[in-house]
PDB file of all heavy atoms in Angstrom:
ATOM      1  N   GLN L   1     -10.113 -33.328  -2.073  1.00 95.00           N
ATOM      2  CA  GLN L   1     -10.012 -31.904  -2.391  1.00 95.00           C
ATOM      3  C   GLN L   1     -11.070 -31.095  -1.652  1.00 95.00           C
ATOM      4  O   GLN L   1     -10.784 -30.016  -1.117  1.00 95.00           O
ATOM      5  CB  GLN L   1     -10.155 -31.691  -3.901  1.00 95.00           C
ATOM      6  CG  GLN L   1      -9.922 -30.242  -4.350  1.00 95.00           C
ATOM      7  CD  GLN L   1      -8.561 -29.719  -3.958  1.00 95.00           C
ATOM      8  OE1 GLN L   1      -7.537 -30.303  -4.312  1.00 95.00           O
ATOM      9  NE2 GLN L   1      -8.525 -28.624  -3.202  1.00 95.00           N
ATOM     10  N   ALA L   2     -12.292 -31.620  -1.617  1.00 94.00           N
ATOM     11  CA  ALA L   2     -13.371 -30.918  -0.907  1.00 94.00           C
ATOM     12  C   ALA L   2     -13.046 -30.784   0.576  1.00 94.00           C
ATOM     13  O   ALA L   2     -13.292 -29.731   1.188  1.00 94.00           O
ATOM     14  CB  ALA L   2     -14.691 -31.666  -1.101  1.00 94.00           C
ATOM     15  N   LEU L   3     -12.492 -31.844   1.166  1.00 95.00           N
ATOM     16  CA  LEU L   3     -12.131 -31.793   2.585  1.00 95.00           C
ATOM     17  C   LEU L   3     -11.007 -30.799   2.825  1.00 95.00           C
ATOM     18  O   LEU L   3     -11.025 -30.050   3.814  1.00 95.00           O
ATOM     19  CB  LEU L   3     -11.726 -33.182   3.080  1.00 95.00           C
ATOM     20  CG  LEU L   3     -12.832 -34.238   3.108  1.00 95.00           C
ATOM     21  CD1 LEU L   3     -12.271 -35.595   3.516  1.00 95.00           C
ATOM     22  CD2 LEU L   3     -13.959 -33.831   4.054  1.00 95.00           C
ATOM     23  N   MET L   4     -10.038 -30.774   1.948  1.00 95.00           N
ATOM     24  CA  MET L   4      -8.938 -29.820   2.097  1.00 95.00           C
ATOM     25  C   MET L   4      -9.408 -28.383   1.894  1.00 95.00           C
ATOM     26  O   MET L   4      -8.779 -27.433   2.384  1.00 95.00           O
ATOM     27  CB  MET L   4      -7.805 -30.154   1.121  1.00 95.00           C
ATOM     28  CG  MET L   4      -7.045 -31.426   1.479  1.00 95.00           C
ATOM     29  SD  MET L   4      -6.276 -31.364   3.122  1.00 95.00           S
ATOM     30  CE  MET L   4      -4.977 -30.141   2.842  1.00 95.00           C
ATOM     31  N   ASP L   5     -10.528 -28.236   1.182  1.00 94.00           N
ATOM     32  CA  ASP L   5     -11.134 -26.912   1.026  1.00 94.00           C
ATOM     33  C   ASP L   5     -12.001 -26.540   2.224  1.00 94.00           C
ATOM     34  O   ASP L   5     -12.564 -25.445   2.278  1.00 94.00           O
ATOM     35  CB  ASP L   5     -11.980 -26.861  -0.257  1.00 94.00           C
ATOM     36  CG  ASP L   5     -11.120 -26.875  -1.516  1.00 94.00           C
ATOM     37  OD1 ASP L   5      -9.929 -26.534  -1.419  1.00 94.00           O
ATOM     38  OD2 ASP L   5     -11.641 -27.250  -2.584  1.00 94.00           O
ATOM     39  N   GLY L   6     -12.162 -27.494   3.156  1.00 93.00           N
ATOM     40  CA  GLY L   6     -12.856 -27.196   4.398  1.00 93.00           C
ATOM     41  C   GLY L   6     -14.326 -27.537   4.450  1.00 93.00           C
ATOM     42  O   GLY L   6     -15.048 -27.036   5.312  1.00 93.00           O
ATOM     43  N   HIS L   7     -14.790 -28.423   3.551  1.00 93.00           N
ATOM     44  CA  HIS L   7     -16.212 -28.793   3.577  1.00 93.00           C
ATOM     45  C   HIS L   7     -16.390 -30.302   3.511  1.00 93.00           C
ATOM     46  O   HIS L   7     -15.779 -30.985   2.679  1.00 93.00           O
ATOM     47  CB  HIS L   7     -16.963 -28.147   2.415  1.00 93.00           C
ATOM     48  CG  HIS L   7     -18.407 -28.561   2.342  1.00 93.00           C
ATOM     49  ND1 HIS L   7     -19.330 -28.246   3.323  1.00 93.00           N
ATOM     50  CD2 HIS L   7     -19.082 -29.309   1.417  1.00 93.00           C
ATOM     51  CE1 HIS L   7     -20.511 -28.764   3.008  1.00 93.00           C
ATOM     52  NE2 HIS L   7     -20.389 -29.406   1.858  1.00 93.00           N
ATOM     53  N   ASP L   8     -17.244 -30.826   4.409  1.00 92.00           N
ATOM     54  CA  ASP L   8     -17.581 -32.248   4.435  1.00 92.00           C
ATOM     55  C   ASP L   8     -18.991 -32.424   3.901  1.00 92.00           C
ATOM     56  O   ASP L   8     -19.959 -32.039   4.553  1.00 92.00           O
ATOM     57  CB  ASP L   8     -17.476 -32.777   5.870  1.00 92.00           C
ATOM     58  CG  ASP L   8     -18.027 -34.195   6.015  1.00 92.00           C
ATOM     59  OD1 ASP L   8     -18.027 -34.929   5.007  1.00 92.00           O
ATOM     60  OD2 ASP L   8     -18.449 -34.555   7.138  1.00 92.00           O
ATOM     61  N   SER L   9     -19.126 -33.040   2.739  1.00 89.00           N
ATOM     62  CA  SER L   9     -20.437 -33.197   2.101  1.00 89.00           C
ATOM     63  C   SER L   9     -21.351 -34.146   2.863  1.00 89.00           C
ATOM     64  O   SER L   9     -22.569 -34.110   2.683  1.00 89.00           O
ATOM     65  CB  SER L   9     -20.267 -33.692   0.655  1.00 89.00           C
ATOM     66  OG  SER L   9     -19.610 -34.950   0.626  1.00 89.00           O
ATOM     67  N   THR L  10     -20.790 -34.997   3.723  1.00 88.00           N
ATOM     68  CA  THR L  10     -21.633 -35.890   4.530  1.00 88.00           C
ATOM     69  C   THR L  10     -22.267 -35.147   5.698  1.00 88.00           C
ATOM     70  O   THR L  10     -23.186 -35.672   6.345  1.00 88.00           O
ATOM     71  CB  THR L  10     -20.832 -37.079   5.097  1.00 88.00           C
ATOM     72  OG1 THR L  10     -19.936 -36.624   6.111  1.00 88.00           O
ATOM     73  CG2 THR L  10     -20.053 -37.793   3.998  1.00 88.00           C
ATOM     74  N   LEU L  11     -21.750 -33.965   6.008  1.00 88.00           N
ATOM     75  CA  LEU L  11     -22.230 -33.113   7.106  1.00 88.00           C
ATOM     76  C   LEU L  11     -21.976 -33.713   8.483  1.00 88.00           C
ATOM     77  O   LEU L  11     -22.518 -33.242   9.481  1.00 88.00           O
ATOM     78  CB  LEU L  11     -23.734 -32.799   6.948  1.00 88.00           C
ATOM     79  CG  LEU L  11     -24.156 -32.194   5.596  1.00 88.00           C
ATOM     80  CD1 LEU L  11     -25.656 -31.910   5.598  1.00 88.00           C
ATOM     81  CD2 LEU L  11     -23.367 -30.926   5.291  1.00 88.00           C
ATOM     82  N   GLU L  12     -21.142 -34.757   8.543  1.00 90.00           N
ATOM     83  CA  GLU L  12     -20.819 -35.358   9.845  1.00 90.00           C
ATOM     84  C   GLU L  12     -19.882 -34.469  10.652  1.00 90.00           C
ATOM     85  O   GLU L  12     -19.961 -34.416  11.880  1.00 90.00           O
ATOM     86  CB  GLU L  12     -20.190 -36.742   9.655  1.00 90.00           C
ATOM     87  CG  GLU L  12     -21.164 -37.809   9.199  1.00 90.00           C
ATOM     88  CD  GLU L  12     -22.324 -37.997  10.154  1.00 90.00           C
ATOM     89  OE1 GLU L  12     -22.086 -38.286  11.334  1.00 90.00           O
ATOM     90  OE2 GLU L  12     -23.483 -37.837   9.717  1.00 90.00           O
ATOM     91  N   VAL L  13     -18.973 -33.797   9.975  1.00 91.00           N
ATOM     92  CA  VAL L  13     -18.054 -32.870  10.641  1.00 91.00           C
ATOM     93  C   VAL L  13     -18.398 -31.452  10.190  1.00 91.00           C
ATOM     94  O   VAL L  13     -18.279 -31.128   9.008  1.00 91.00           O
ATOM     95  CB  VAL L  13     -16.581 -33.190  10.294  1.00 91.00           C
ATOM     96  CG1 VAL L  13     -15.645 -32.161  10.933  1.00 91.00           C
ATOM     97  CG2 VAL L  13     -16.220 -34.594  10.754  1.00 91.00           C
ATOM     98  N   PRO L  14     -18.849 -30.599  11.113  1.00 91.00           N
ATOM     99  CA  PRO L  14     -19.170 -29.217  10.749  1.00 91.00           C
ATOM    100  C   PRO L  14     -17.959 -28.518  10.133  1.00 91.00           C
ATOM    101  O   PRO L  14     -16.809 -28.797  10.497  1.00 91.00           O
ATOM    102  CB  PRO L  14     -19.546 -28.580  12.095  1.00 91.00           C
ATOM    103  CG  PRO L  14     -19.962 -29.727  12.959  1.00 91.00           C
ATOM    104  CD  PRO L  14     -19.102 -30.885  12.533  1.00 91.00           C
ATOM    105  N   ASP L  15     -18.220 -27.626   9.187  1.00 93.00           N
ATOM    106  CA  ASP L  15     -17.134 -26.951   8.481  1.00 93.00           C
ATOM    107  C   ASP L  15     -16.171 -26.247   9.425  1.00 93.00           C
ATOM    108  O   ASP L  15     -14.953 -26.257   9.214  1.00 93.00           O
ATOM    109  CB  ASP L  15     -17.714 -25.945   7.479  1.00 93.00           C
ATOM    110  CG  ASP L  15     -18.354 -26.643   6.280  1.00 93.00           C
ATOM    111  OD1 ASP L  15     -18.238 -27.878   6.189  1.00 93.00           O
ATOM    112  OD2 ASP L  15     -18.965 -25.949   5.442  1.00 93.00           O
ATOM    113  N   GLU L  16     -16.707 -25.631  10.498  1.00 93.00           N
ATOM    114  CA  GLU L  16     -15.823 -24.898  11.405  1.00 93.00           C
ATOM    115  C   GLU L  16     -14.842 -25.825  12.124  1.00 93.00           C
ATOM    116  O   GLU L  16     -13.669 -25.472  12.334  1.00 93.00           O
ATOM    117  CB  GLU L  16     -16.626 -24.081  12.423  1.00 93.00           C
ATOM    118  CG  GLU L  16     -17.586 -24.878  13.291  1.00 93.00           C
ATOM    119  CD  GLU L  16     -18.976 -24.999  12.708  1.00 93.00           C
ATOM    120  OE1 GLU L  16     -19.124 -24.835  11.466  1.00 93.00           O
ATOM    121  OE2 GLU L  16     -19.923 -25.251  13.489  1.00 93.00           O
ATOM    122  N   LEU L  17     -15.305 -27.053  12.481  1.00 93.00           N
ATOM    123  CA  LEU L  17     -14.411 -28.015  13.119  1.00 93.00           C
ATOM    124  C   LEU L  17     -13.363 -28.533  12.140  1.00 93.00           C
ATOM    125  O   LEU L  17     -12.190 -28.690  12.486  1.00 93.00           O
ATOM    126  CB  LEU L  17     -15.206 -29.194  13.691  1.00 93.00           C
ATOM    127  CG  LEU L  17     -15.964 -28.979  15.000  1.00 93.00           C
ATOM    128  CD1 LEU L  17     -16.656 -30.270  15.427  1.00 93.00           C
ATOM    129  CD2 LEU L  17     -15.030 -28.511  16.101  1.00 93.00           C
ATOM    130  N   LEU L  18     -13.795 -28.815  10.922  1.00 94.00           N
ATOM    131  CA  LEU L  18     -12.866 -29.305   9.898  1.00 94.00           C
ATOM    132  C   LEU L  18     -11.815 -28.253   9.573  1.00 94.00           C
ATOM    133  O   LEU L  18     -10.617 -28.554   9.495  1.00 94.00           O
ATOM    134  CB  LEU L  18     -13.641 -29.703   8.637  1.00 94.00           C
ATOM    135  CG  LEU L  18     -12.805 -30.183   7.447  1.00 94.00           C
ATOM    136  CD1 LEU L  18     -11.936 -31.378   7.833  1.00 94.00           C
ATOM    137  CD2 LEU L  18     -13.708 -30.535   6.267  1.00 94.00           C
ATOM    138  N   GLN L  19     -12.256 -27.025   9.391  1.00 95.00           N
ATOM    139  CA  GLN L  19     -11.319 -25.948   9.062  1.00 95.00           C
ATOM    140  C   GLN L  19     -10.340 -25.682  10.193  1.00 95.00           C
ATOM    141  O   GLN L  19      -9.159 -25.416   9.961  1.00 95.00           O
ATOM    142  CB  GLN L  19     -12.104 -24.693   8.697  1.00 95.00           C
ATOM    143  CG  GLN L  19     -12.854 -24.826   7.368  1.00 95.00           C
ATOM    144  CD  GLN L  19     -13.937 -23.794   7.171  1.00 95.00           C
ATOM    145  OE1 GLN L  19     -14.001 -22.786   7.885  1.00 95.00           O
ATOM    146  NE2 GLN L  19     -14.822 -24.032   6.209  1.00 95.00           N
ATOM    147  N   ALA L  20     -10.815 -25.787  11.432  1.00 93.00           N
ATOM    148  CA  ALA L  20      -9.924 -25.619  12.587  1.00 93.00           C
ATOM    149  C   ALA L  20      -8.881 -26.728  12.621  1.00 93.00           C
ATOM    150  O   ALA L  20      -7.701 -26.484  12.925  1.00 93.00           O
ATOM    151  CB  ALA L  20     -10.738 -25.613  13.879  1.00 93.00           C
ATOM    152  N   ALA L  21      -9.310 -27.961  12.297  1.00 94.00           N
ATOM    153  CA  ALA L  21      -8.381 -29.099  12.277  1.00 94.00           C
ATOM    154  C   ALA L  21      -7.311 -28.905  11.208  1.00 94.00           C
ATOM    155  O   ALA L  21      -6.124 -29.180  11.435  1.00 94.00           O
ATOM    156  CB  ALA L  21      -9.146 -30.393  12.036  1.00 94.00           C
ATOM    157  N   LEU L  22      -7.729 -28.428  10.032  1.00 94.00           N
ATOM    158  CA  LEU L  22      -6.774 -28.183   8.944  1.00 94.00           C
ATOM    159  C   LEU L  22      -5.753 -27.128   9.335  1.00 94.00           C
ATOM    160  O   LEU L  22      -4.558 -27.249   9.020  1.00 94.00           O
ATOM    161  CB  LEU L  22      -7.524 -27.763   7.674  1.00 94.00           C
ATOM    162  CG  LEU L  22      -8.405 -28.843   7.021  1.00 94.00           C
ATOM    163  CD1 LEU L  22      -9.295 -28.234   5.950  1.00 94.00           C
ATOM    164  CD2 LEU L  22      -7.553 -29.960   6.434  1.00 94.00           C
ATOM    165  N   LYS L  23      -6.198 -26.100  10.028  1.00 92.00           N
ATOM    166  CA  LYS L  23      -5.282 -25.045  10.481  1.00 92.00           C
ATOM    167  C   LYS L  23      -4.283 -25.578  11.504  1.00 92.00           C
ATOM    168  O   LYS L  23      -3.163 -25.090  11.612  1.00 92.00           O
ATOM    169  CB  LYS L  23      -6.075 -23.890  11.082  1.00 92.00           C
ATOM    170  CG  LYS L  23      -6.824 -23.055  10.057  1.00 92.00           C
ATOM    171  CD  LYS L  23      -7.603 -21.926  10.715  1.00 92.00           C
ATOM    172  CE  LYS L  23      -8.372 -21.119   9.674  1.00 92.00           C
ATOM    173  NZ  LYS L  23      -9.188 -20.037  10.311  1.00 92.00           N
ATOM    174  N   ASN L  24      -4.712 -26.611  12.261  1.00 91.00           N
ATOM    175  CA  ASN L  24      -3.847 -27.185  13.293  1.00 91.00           C
ATOM    176  C   ASN L  24      -2.958 -28.308  12.781  1.00 91.00           C
ATOM    177  O   ASN L  24      -2.312 -29.002  13.574  1.00 91.00           O
ATOM    178  CB  ASN L  24      -4.698 -27.683  14.463  1.00 91.00           C
ATOM    179  CG  ASN L  24      -5.328 -26.546  15.241  1.00 91.00           C
ATOM    180  OD1 ASN L  24      -4.784 -25.441  15.294  1.00 91.00           O
ATOM    181  ND2 ASN L  24      -6.482 -26.805  15.849  1.00 91.00           N
ATOM    182  N   GLY L  25      -2.967 -28.537  11.462  1.00 92.00           N
ATOM    183  CA  GLY L  25      -2.040 -29.505  10.891  1.00 92.00           C
ATOM    184  C   GLY L  25      -2.649 -30.758  10.311  1.00 92.00           C
ATOM    185  O   GLY L  25      -1.954 -31.554   9.662  1.00 92.00           O
ATOM    186  N   PHE L  26      -3.948 -30.995  10.527  1.00 95.00           N
ATOM    187  CA  PHE L  26      -4.605 -32.158   9.920  1.00 95.00           C
ATOM    188  C   PHE L  26      -4.632 -31.992   8.411  1.00 95.00           C
ATOM    189  O   PHE L  26      -4.879 -30.890   7.899  1.00 95.00           O
ATOM    190  CB  PHE L  26      -6.024 -32.284  10.463  1.00 95.00           C
ATOM    191  CG  PHE L  26      -6.856 -33.351   9.780  1.00 95.00           C
ATOM    192  CD1 PHE L  26      -6.464 -34.674   9.787  1.00 95.00           C
ATOM    193  CD2 PHE L  26      -8.041 -33.010   9.133  1.00 95.00           C
ATOM    194  CE1 PHE L  26      -7.226 -35.655   9.170  1.00 95.00           C
ATOM    195  CE2 PHE L  26      -8.820 -33.981   8.511  1.00 95.00           C
ATOM    196  CZ  PHE L  26      -8.403 -35.309   8.534  1.00 95.00           C
TER     197      PHE L  26
END
């Protein structure tokens, strides 16, 4: 759920990269 909300608590993937991936279908 946190990842689908666009945040990685491990900080390995910056929020902007994760959110961009989600917008592109990930």
